[in-house]
Amino acid sequence: MFERPRSGERALLVQLALGGDLPADARDELEQLAQAAGAAVLGFLGGSRAAPDSKYFIGTGKAEELKALVAASEAELVIVDHALSPAQERNLERLLQCRVVDRSGLILDIFAQRARSFEGKLQVELAQLRHLSTRLVRGWTHLERQKGGIGLRGPGETQLETDRRLLGKRIAVLKERLARIETLRGQGRRARERHEVPTVALVGYTNAGKSTLFNRLTDAGVLQADQLFATLDPTLRRLPLPRGQDAVLADTVGFINQLPHELVAAFRATLEETRSAGLLLHVVDADPLERERHIQDVEMVLGDIGAMEVPRILVYNKIDALPEAPVPRVDRDAAGRVERVWLSAVTGAGVDLLLAAIAERLWTAPVKQQLLLGPEDGALRAWLFRNATVSQDSPTELGGWEMAVSIPQARWLRLQHAADPISRRLRAIAGLAHRSGAHRPGALQHRATDAVR
């Protein structure tokens, strides 16, 4: 029988370059993650391999080197900056006789420490249980035996099967509670849409300065700290804009390279604020060292949660920390739309440029459409009442409807790439109108000159 060693805070860090070079800030990021979890870093073991070892991940030679380092430093914990299989974790723990935590387990532990709201705690617990469900046999081999004793002998479930069943029940309970919370959030989003109050969501790599910018824009007073994952629980605040309109600004959890899939799935209800936003502010640390890699990592997570079609502005933050100290400015694309804003959330330089850019992107002239729907387009008609301003809705002799609608341009831009049936139907209708211009059920006629090109 193998019982897992007790955990401690004195940790050694292990990081390998697999089939190439590591990013320049990879070691610093691993140390920051370990410190965010409360570990005292004693040392670091690096190396390179063409491919992971099936038994130890790091290879037999590196594993023996790590064993000697653990003994010499009296480390109580080994943190491996990679995703380990349950078997690899078990083999390393047997060899090292100390706890081994992979990157996913480390990030989950940080989330467990930082969650404060009821919803956040439920989401973290769900992610942890999903992670644990694949690792029940990792350390306690006695769980595979059947329960014994009077009344418990004979065919029946093993302790492992019992634990899996109980784990499945708890996961089902958490999913049900989070579904109710998601329903409440959905009601709030629909209420904002009815009152035409757009949502702007902050996204970005962890520790890029999202919470600092959030406080600068809204005076919300949320926690801001120079550490990874300082913000877990989403916060919504009113955002006054220069043209007299208001928006809702949402501060969300930061992303990171190799964000555990369990977390993405568990935080889907929270990340729905990102997916349903009218505009994303992608906050990026302006330091060019790993700027492009961080942008790519965030784009990957946005793709995982279905938010790639949401319009966004890149916000290059922390320009006050750059050696050349660039002045705040706005960069535009070839069509003249705002693409990037350079600013400092700490000093406030350039924040006025960002507010003007948000107002410009949200309140560009709406797309006006004249639609003639067939009787099969009832779902589309209902969607238009929820998401557009309907100025005309008249029944036709064929059982359809003639509608005049005005759709916010940011929302219309999202429809160009969305994969849901309503968006596909609108694109199909627009395609028919573009080719033939026929005024028949299903054809979409453009009346305004400000339609999205």
Side-chain angles (χ1 to χ4, degrees):
M1 184 176 69
F2 169 65
E3 295 286 355
R4 297 192 67 199
R6 293 183 178 274
S7 178
E9 296 181 350
R10 296 163 52 83
L12 291 175
L13 309 182
V14 179
Q15 189 177 61
L16 295 184
L18 296 174
D21 296 329
L22 285 170
D25 65 340
R27 177 170 175 174
D28 290 340
E29 182 177 277
L30 177 58
E31 291 181 356
Q32 291 176 32
L33 282 171
Q35 292 166 359
V41 179
L42 302 179
F44 179 87
L45 179 65
S48 61
R49 286 184 63 88
D53 177 63
S54 59
K55 184 175 183 180
Y56 292 123
F57 187 90
I58 60 176
T60 304
K62 279 292 179 183
E64 292 296 336
E65 183 180 349
L66 180 59
K67 180 180 179 181
L69 192 58
V70 168
S73 62
E74 298 182 351
E76 304 162 305
L77 176 67
V78 169
I79 298 174
V80 182
D81 190 33
H82 306 276
L84 301 179
S85 70
Q88 289 167 338
E89 281 193 21
R90 180 179 66 245
N91 293 335
L92 282 172
E93 287 181 344
R94 281 175 169 163
L95 175 68
L96 304 176
Q97 288 301 302
C98 71
R99 284 288 300 275
V100 175
V101 175
D102 68 353
R103 184 180 178 91
S104 296
L106 177 62
I107 294 175
L108 286 169
D109 184 82
I110 297 171
F111 273 56
Q113 294 182 47
R114 301 281 169 80
R116 292 292 180 267
S117 70
F118 176 70
E119 179 185 5
K121 291 177 181 178
L122 288 180
Q123 290 169 325
V124 171
E125 183 182 357
L126 177 59
Q128 288 181 314
L129 291 181
R130 282 173 167 164
H131 185 72
L132 179 63
S133 63
T134 63
R135 286 162 161 75
L136 283 178
V137 297
R138 178 180 61 184
W140 294 275
T141 55
H142 66 288
L143 294 179
E144 298 173 356
R145 296 201 301 266
Q146 281 188 352
K147 293 175 285 191
I150 297 174
L152 295 175
R153 296 190 181 95
E157 63 182 9
T158 64
Q159 184 64 49
L160 180 61
E161 291 167 337
T162 301
D163 287 353
R164 280 177 173 161
R165 176 169 51 82
L166 295 176
L167 205 61
K169 286 185 176 180
R170 180 60 180 169
I171 288 176
V173 169
L174 293 175
K175 286 183 176 179
E176 182 181 352
R177 291 180 179 176
L178 286 172
R180 290 199 294 266
I181 294 175
E182 186 173 3
T183 299
L184 293 175
R185 284 189 177 275
Q187 292 172 352
R189 284 192 295 271
R190 287 191 293 273
R192 293 196 297 270
E193 289 175 356
R194 284 195 300 270
H195 292 85
E196 297 186 352
V197 179
T199 299
V200 180
L202 292 169
V203 299
Y205 210 77
T206 181
N207 204 29
K210 294 183 300 300
S211 295
T212 304
L213 181 59
F214 185 82
N215 287 336
R216 173 68 65 176
L217 294 173
T218 65
D219 295 324
V222 300
L223 173 65
Q224 57 187 61
D226 186 16
Q227 59 184 15
L228 303 186
F229 300 116
T231 301
L232 284 190
D233 300 315
T235 306
L236 302 178
R237 290 292 186 274
R238 172 177 169 270
L239 176 63
L241 292 171
R243 299 185 182 181
Q245 300 99 338
D246 286 338
V248 171
L249 185 64
D251 189 16
T252 60
V253 61
F255 302 149
I256 198 169
N257 183 33
Q258 301 178 48
L259 188 68
H261 292 292
E262 297 92 347
L263 276 175
V264 175
F267 276 74
R268 189 164 294 276
T270 298
L271 295 173
E272 180 65 26
E273 295 292 348
T274 300
R275 189 166 50 187
S276 63
L279 179 67
L280 299 182
L281 301 182
H282 181 172
V283 184
V284 183
D285 189 333
D287 187 345
L289 181 63
E290 292 297 331
R291 186 167 63 201
E292 294 305 319
R293 181 177 71 86
H294 289 177
I295 291 175
Q296 292 174 5
D297 289 338
V298 172
E299 295 283 337
M300 187 177 300
V301 178
L302 291 176
D304 289 342
I305 65 175
M308 281 297 292
E309 72 276 6
V310 183
R312 73 203 64 178
I313 296 174
L314 281 172
V315 180
Y316 283 2
N317 188 25
K318 304 183 182 181
I319 62 172
D320 56 301
L322 297 180
E324 65 275 17
V327 297
R329 70 176 190 270
V330 174
D331 297 338
R332 296 179 179 271
D333 61 15
R337 287 189 297 263
V338 175
E339 188 174 31
R340 288 180 296 271
V341 178
W342 298 71
L343 56 76
S344 170
V346 170
T347 66
V351 170
D352 55 335
L353 298 177
L354 177 61
L355 290 172
I358 295 172
E360 178 182 329
R361 289 294 295 267
L362 287 178
W363 279 282
T364 305
V367 179
K368 297 180 180 180
Q369 306 285 349
Q370 183 75 23
L371 294 82
L372 192 59
L373 305 183
E376 73 278 7
D377 291 322
L380 174 57
R381 178 172 175 264
W383 183 92
L384 289 167
F385 270 102
R386 291 195 305 269
N387 296 275
T389 301
V390 179
S391 58
Q392 177 188 354
D393 179 41
S394 306
T396 66
E397 295 179 357
L398 297 178
W401 303 270
E402 183 177 359
M403 302 181 70
V405 299
S406 176
I407 303 176
Q409 189 155 153
R411 188 171 297 155
W412 180 255
L413 286 171
R414 292 182 56 191
L415 294 173
Q416 310 310 303
H417 306 286
D420 60 280
I422 293 295
S423 300
R424 290 198 299 266
R425 176 63 177 154
L426 274 174
R427 289 200 297 271
I429 292 174
L432 287 171
H434 179 71
R435 287 197 300 270
S436 64
H439 193 71
R440 61 178 181 271
L444 178 65
Q445 305 294 328
H446 290 265
R447 276 189 177 172
T449 59
D450 55 359
V452 175
R453 296 180 178 87

